[in-house]
Amino acid sequence: MTNPPSADPARVGSGLRIGVLALQGDFREHLRAAEATGAQGVAVRRPEELDGLDGLIIPGGESTTIDKLARAFDLADPLRKYIAEGLPVYGSCAGMILLASDIADPATDLSGAPQQTFGGLDITVRRNAFGRQRESFETDLDFKGLDFSATESGVEPVHAVFIRGPWVERVGPDVEVLAQVEPADPGQASHAVPLPGAARIVAVRSGQLLATSFHPEVTGEKRVHDLFIRMIRGEA
């Protein structure tokens, strides 16, 4: 569905219903971030709560747990259907993993079956790529697509927090890379995983799908959610 531009640029989400998958993880923070844009935030725990949404956010958390709960609550197949039919979705951290078509290192259950994703993004991700909880770090990123936030001095970098975050190891031809962590960044001093000679992709977009390895909802960085809303409205 095509949504009209917001009459109030400061409340770009006015008139929109944005769902947040609320099975596990930091869904409350994403609900607050969505509502800060002026949108109505909807906690999604049942299939019928997907009806009538203008967009959906899949939060950070445990991708394996969200996968299992989505199947237990009969949400996995409806989510795949809505995504395939063009529902705009933003996935943060675990949400990026769940939007990926492939996982380089999937977790397995007791029977040996690999974890599942909802798909939609033609990417391969690696879970916990930057290390475990103690290797969490912050850094500033050049992030494409935020021209709407430009000032006289240009577009400010995005301050990103990585907590057991994935990175993207492969992108398909229709996937746009929005941000990368450069191997020489001083903020990477605590990385458990060496980054020799290659930047690591941490934000991507394909059509109406957006994903980041990091958590803008925990730092007060509003522009990533604003970008998602503008994507829904056809303004980005």
Side-chain angles (χ1 to χ4, degrees), residues 108-123:
T108 56
D109 62 20
L110 294 176
S111 70
Q115 70 182 101
Q116 300 178 22
T117 72
F118 308 136
L121 280 173
D122 184 11
I123 61 175

Side-chain angles (χ1 to χ4, degrees), residues 224-236:
V224 176
H225 289 84
D226 281 354
L227 172 62
F228 180 52
I229 295 295
R230 290 169 191 272
M231 288 168 54
I232 295 171
R233 292 197 181 277
E235 299 173 1

Side-chain angles (χ1 to χ4, degrees), residues 96-230:
M96 170 185 270
I97 296 169
L98 289 160
L99 283 177
S101 57
D102 297 293
I103 304 175
D105 57 339
T108 56
D109 62 20
L110 294 176
S111 70
Q115 70 182 101
Q116 300 178 22
T117 72
F118 308 136
L121 280 173
D122 184 11
I123 61 175
T124 300
V125 297
R126 182 169 296 278
R127 301 162 53 249
N128 302 323
F130 290 104
R132 306 298 294 179
Q133 193 85 13
R134 65 179 177 273
E135 281 85 41
S136 300
F137 69 100
E138 304 179 27
T139 192
D140 289 337
L141 301 174
D142 291 328
F143 196 110
K144 296 180 182 177
L146 302 183
D147 294 344
F148 60 84
S149 69
T151 64
E152 290 183 358
S153 58
V155 177
E156 292 295 319
V158 167
H159 188 70
V161 173
F162 293 83
I163 305 170
R164 297 177 60 195
W167 66 42
V168 178
E169 297 200 340
R170 178 195 62 85
V171 297
D174 297 324
V175 177
E176 179 184 9
V177 175
L178 300 181
Q180 302 181 80
V181 171
E182 300 296 335
D185 278 357
Q188 296 179 25
S190 64
H191 287 173
V193 179
L195 305 175
R200 302 301 180 177
I201 299 169
V202 294
V204 294
R205 174 187 177 178
S206 181
Q208 294 286 78
L209 303 179
L210 174 69
T212 64
S213 301
F214 56 90
H215 294 265
E217 73 281 1
V218 304
T219 62
E221 170 56 74
K222 300 176 181 178
R223 292 174 295 168
V224 176
H225 289 84
D226 281 354
L227 172 62
F228 180 52
I229 295 295
R230 290 169 191 272

Side-chain angles (χ1 to χ4, degrees), residues 22-41:
L23 301 177
Q24 190 266 344
D26 63 345
F27 59 87
R28 295 178 184 84
E29 290 82 355
H30 277 290
L31 281 168
R32 285 194 288 268
E35 290 167 353
T37 72
Q40 176 189 357

